[in-house]
Amino acid sequence: MNFKQYQYLRRNVLKKDTSGQLLERYDKVEAEKISPLVLALLGDACFHQYIRLRLLSFEQNHVRLLNDLSAKFVSAVGQSSAYHAIKDDFTEEEADVFRRGFHAKSHAPRAASVKQYHESTGFEALLGYLYLKGCHERLEELSERAFLSIASSLAEKN
């Protein structure tokens, strides 16, 4: 997408009708039809919230520490390692969603290998998919297993 296209979309995504009501473009959200990068965007938000809430079991007073720790959990490196710890328990549908996210064209990573970055994108896409499908119990199960895996790895480094 070029800059002019982006500007057009930006100006026109939130429009109002003549009565001042926002015009929605879609009646429903079908998780199967959503771009894997959009699923990853949602999954990132879900996982970040889960991690921040989960870390409150360990620390409740130091914002900077919580922020630093949560950044390690939601990093591409952290999510890639979590993916390897839980991937064998994915259903066929979950593995397909992960693959879609893994193969999505995205920007180059900053602090991770290309493979780790793609694995984290696939992981996030899966979490976003589960959220949109309303599979909140499964989303929490995978998030908790990922949390425990990453936390164990971080504790070993200390």
Side-chain angles (χ1 to χ4, degrees):
M1 169 182 355
N2 67 38
F3 188 65
K4 283 187 177 186
Q5 289 172 312
Y6 174 78
Q7 285 180 316
Y8 173 81
L9 289 173
R10 177 83 190 250
R11 282 191 309 270
N12 292 291
V13 70
L14 297 174
K15 287 286 207 177
K16 292 182 178 181
D17 63 18
T18 55
S19 67
Q21 297 294 319
L22 285 172
L23 293 170
E24 294 182 5
R25 293 178 54 197
Y26 304 98
D27 294 329
K28 60 184 175 177
V29 177
E30 297 179 61
E32 299 81 8
K33 294 181 180 179
I34 298 293
S35 153
L37 293 178
V38 172
L39 292 175
L41 175 77
L42 296 172
D44 176 65
C46 291
F47 193 58
H48 213 134
Q49 180 182 23
Y50 185 86
I51 293 303
R52 286 181 171 191
L53 289 171
R54 190 67 176 82
L55 285 173
L56 292 177
S57 297
F58 302 91
E59 176 57 49
Q60 296 183 2
N61 295 307
H62 298 93
V63 172
R64 184 175 177 189
L65 177 60
L66 287 166
N67 189 58
D68 290 348
L69 280 172
S70 69
K72 291 183 186 316
F73 278 86
V74 301
S75 71
V77 173
Q79 290 178 359
S80 172
S81 72
Y83 158 71
H84 285 283
I86 65 177
K87 68 181 179 178
D88 292 338
D89 293 328
F90 287 175
T91 65
E92 188 175 321
E93 178 183 13
E94 291 168 350
D96 287 343
V97 173
F98 170 84
R99 271 190 294 282
R100 282 181 54 214
F102 180 89
H103 292 294
K105 184 179 178 185
S106 58
H107 296 289
R110 287 180 238 141
S113 72
V114 172
K115 184 178 181 191
Q116 288 171 321
Y117 187 77
H118 286 291
E119 288 170 344
S120 71
T121 302
F123 174 74
E124 291 172 341
L126 173 57
L127 298 183
Y129 178 83
L130 292 172
Y131 180 82
L132 287 178
K133 293 291 285 182
C135 302
H136 300 292
E137 193 172 302
R138 181 65 171 161
L139 172 62
E140 184 159 343
E141 176 189 344
L142 292 179
S143 295
E144 177 64 11
R145 291 182 59 204
F147 173 84
L148 292 173
S149 172
I150 298 166
S152 176
S153 175
L154 291 174
E156 288 173 6
K157 291 178 183 175
N158 291 337

